[in-house]
Amino acid sequence: MREVFSVSFHLINSKPNMMKKFIDLDFLFVNDLITFLNQLKEKGVLPEEYDSNQAAETVYSTLAFEFLLYVYEEEHTEEQLLQGIKNKVDFIFT
């Protein structure tokens, strides 16, 4: 993680507009996921007290973690990436 943070901080300093665009995409994804989960609550698929914000942030963290594994571990295949995401999302929602 140290390397990821190092690159991020370098990008913030050298190209702040580009970093802001990446951050905006992250927030957009999380906000869209919150909206989707709230719609599921309205349809009765999820309980009304379900915390959509926490779930969306947790799903995002899962995606980020699996993506980092895929990027940094040469032997980590796309199939493992997708299976890891599926396993964790299934765990979150059960």
Side-chain angles (χ1 to χ4, degrees):
M1 288 304 291
R2 186 176 307 166
E3 290 84 5
V4 172
F5 288 130
S6 176
V7 169
S8 296
F9 289 133
H10 175 72
L11 190 57
I12 288 170
N13 291 329
S14 64
K15 298 183 181 183
N17 289 336
M18 183 181 290
M19 189 65 185
K20 178 158 177 13
K21 288 178 184 179
F22 283 125
I23 292 169
D24 288 345
L25 285 174
D26 292 337
F27 281 110
L28 179 65
F29 173 78
V30 172
N31 287 334
D32 284 350
L33 187 52
I34 290 168
T35 299
F36 174 70
L37 295 172
N38 285 335
Q39 290 170 349
L40 291 179
K41 287 183 350 184
E42 290 169 7
K43 293 178 180 179
V45 176
L46 294 172
E48 189 61 37
E49 65 276 0
Y50 191 80
D51 191 338
S52 299
N53 290 33
Q54 289 299 317
E57 291 171 6
T58 303
V59 168
Y60 175 81
S61 297
T62 294
L63 294 173
F65 173 77
E66 288 295 331
F67 178 72
L68 288 173
L69 278 178
Y70 180 68
V71 168
Y72 288 111
E73 297 291 326
E74 280 185 34
E75 67 278 357
H76 201 80
T77 66
E78 185 177 344
E79 183 178 329
Q80 289 172 310
L81 166 72
L82 297 175
Q83 189 62 50
I85 291 170
K86 181 185 180 320
N87 292 345
K88 288 174 182 65
V89 169
D90 286 347
F91 176 79
I92 292 167
F93 289 104
T94 55

